[in-house]
Amino acid sequence: MTKDVWIKVSGLQFTGDNESPEPVEIITAGTYTEKNGKHYLRYEEILPDESGSTINTVVIEPDSVDILKKGSANTSMFFHRDQKTFSIYHTPFGNLVLGLDTQNIHIDTTGDAIAVQVKYALELNSQFVADCHISITVSEKTSGAFQL
């Protein structure tokens, strides 16, 4: 796969106002590298409330997906198959303790694409919020055409 890629990330966004989670999908240009059997993605995410942007790094291994966010919101989210992990999500509005209880990770790689599915239970400040799903799709940029 080439270095320049299209990245599509879809999942759920929780507002914290006891409202139902909203589906969220971003499609953006990013970079891809592979080193020592790990796949690395890097892309910038503009926050919807115009409070800034976040640089995201995604590290994909056979049994784990790590998402590192740096910028207006900072966190390290670790999805490890059949494990529960914890991290602090630093936002402009305060800090949240995330609990990520990963039930399943499915990774499909081909020569020019990667598809990742992560199913997990989300906790915020030790309270169960929802069963969640993240989907990450990566494809080569070819002739500037968007193909996901």
Side-chain angles (χ1 to χ4, degrees):
M1 186 177 324
T2 63
K3 181 178 179 174
D4 294 321
V5 294
W6 290 114
I7 301 169
K8 178 171 115 177
V9 180
S10 55
L12 298 175
Q13 177 177 346
F14 296 89
T15 62
D17 297 333
N18 293 327
E19 294 179 15
S20 296
E22 296 180 20
V24 173
E25 180 175 277
I26 65 163
I27 300 171
T28 188
T31 60
Y32 166 83
T33 55
E34 182 179 4
K35 184 176 181 181
N36 298 326
K38 297 179 184 179
H39 304 276
Y40 295 87
L41 307 173
R42 188 172 170 93
Y43 62 94
E44 181 178 14
E45 179 180 1
I46 306 299
L47 300 177
D49 59 4
E50 299 180 16
S51 63
S53 66
T54 301
I55 300 297
N56 295 287
T57 302
V58 180
V59 182
I60 302 166
E61 297 184 70
D63 289 324
S64 67
V65 176
D66 298 338
I67 301 174
L68 313 163
K69 295 178 167 280
K70 296 201 184 289
S72 297
N74 296 294
T75 194
S76 298
M77 300 164 58
F78 304 107
F79 300 95
H80 296 244
R81 188 185 322 267
D82 299 322
Q83 292 183 24
K84 186 175 187 178
T85 61
F86 295 91
S87 64
I88 304 294
Y89 200 143
H90 305 279
T91 74
F93 312 106
N95 296 335
L96 301 168
V97 177
L98 295 180
L100 305 167
D101 190 0
T102 306
Q103 287 103 31
N104 192 22
I105 296 174
H106 179 77
I107 301 166
D108 185 22
T109 59
T110 63
D112 60 355
I114 299 172
V116 177
Q117 306 291 324
V118 179
K119 292 184 180 179
Y120 63 100
L122 173 66
E123 292 179 1
L124 291 177
N125 298 325
S126 300
Q127 297 294 313
F128 173 80
V129 175
D131 290 313
C132 301
H133 180 258
I134 292 176
S135 175
I136 302 170
T137 307
V138 183
S139 67
E140 290 184 342
K141 276 187 175 180
T142 54
S143 305
F146 176 74
Q147 297 178 359
L148 276 181

